[in-house]
Amino acid sequence: MREDFKVIMAVVNQPGKYEPSEFQTGMLDCCDDIGICCFGYFCFCCLGCSIASDMGECCLCGLGMPIRSVYRTKYNIKGSMCNDYMVTMCCPLCTTCQLKRDINRRKEQGIF
């Protein structure tokens, strides 16, 4: 066998699987956590700042499509940027509360 001949093997499968997941609560499950629902209803901007703080972002970044997309990508949650835009434009309070509930649940599970 020649010394300068090397066998190169391609990696066909990555170790382990990281399946796409879903948000842990539905967008309209506001009654799952009344405290977050009231927090968002009475002080929507404060809820956004709380989310941004949890994610290590500027307080102004806590509301809307960008933070939702970043979160979804980080935790491999199914969806698209277009979907994030549409749901945050149609029901910003519900989607923001959903995001905060999901953050809190991941913190309780030790995976945030």
Side-chain angles (χ1 to χ4, degrees), residues 93-110:
L93 179 61
C94 294
T95 57
T96 304
C97 289
Q98 178 191 31
L99 184 57
K100 183 62 177 174
R101 284 192 310 272
D102 203 78
I103 289 171
N104 288 349
R105 289 208 178 165
R106 289 183 192 274
K107 283 181 179 179
E108 289 170 1
Q109 296 165 353

Side-chain angles (χ1 to χ4, degrees), residues 1-2 10 17 33-34 39 41 44 46-47 57-58 64 71-73 78 80-81 87 89 94-95 97:
M1 181 170 237
R2 293 176 30 196
K17 285 189 172 183
D33 191 326
I34 297 294
F39 187 27
Y41 184 77
F44 184 62
C46 297
L47 180 59
E57 298 289 338
C58 168
Y71 185 81
R72 233 185 5 79
T73 302
K78 293 177 187 174
S80 67
M81 290 179 75
V87 296
M89 293 307 293
C94 294
T95 57
C97 289

Side-chain angles (χ1 to χ4, degrees), residues 66-92:
I67 198 82
R68 185 177 175 87
S69 293
V70 167
Y71 185 81
R72 233 185 5 79
T73 302
K74 182 175 181 179
Y75 291 102
N76 199 26
I77 297 171
K78 293 177 187 174
S80 67
M81 290 179 75
C82 181
N83 183 36
D84 292 337
Y85 176 77
M86 295 303 293
V87 296
T88 55
M89 293 307 293
C90 291
C91 193

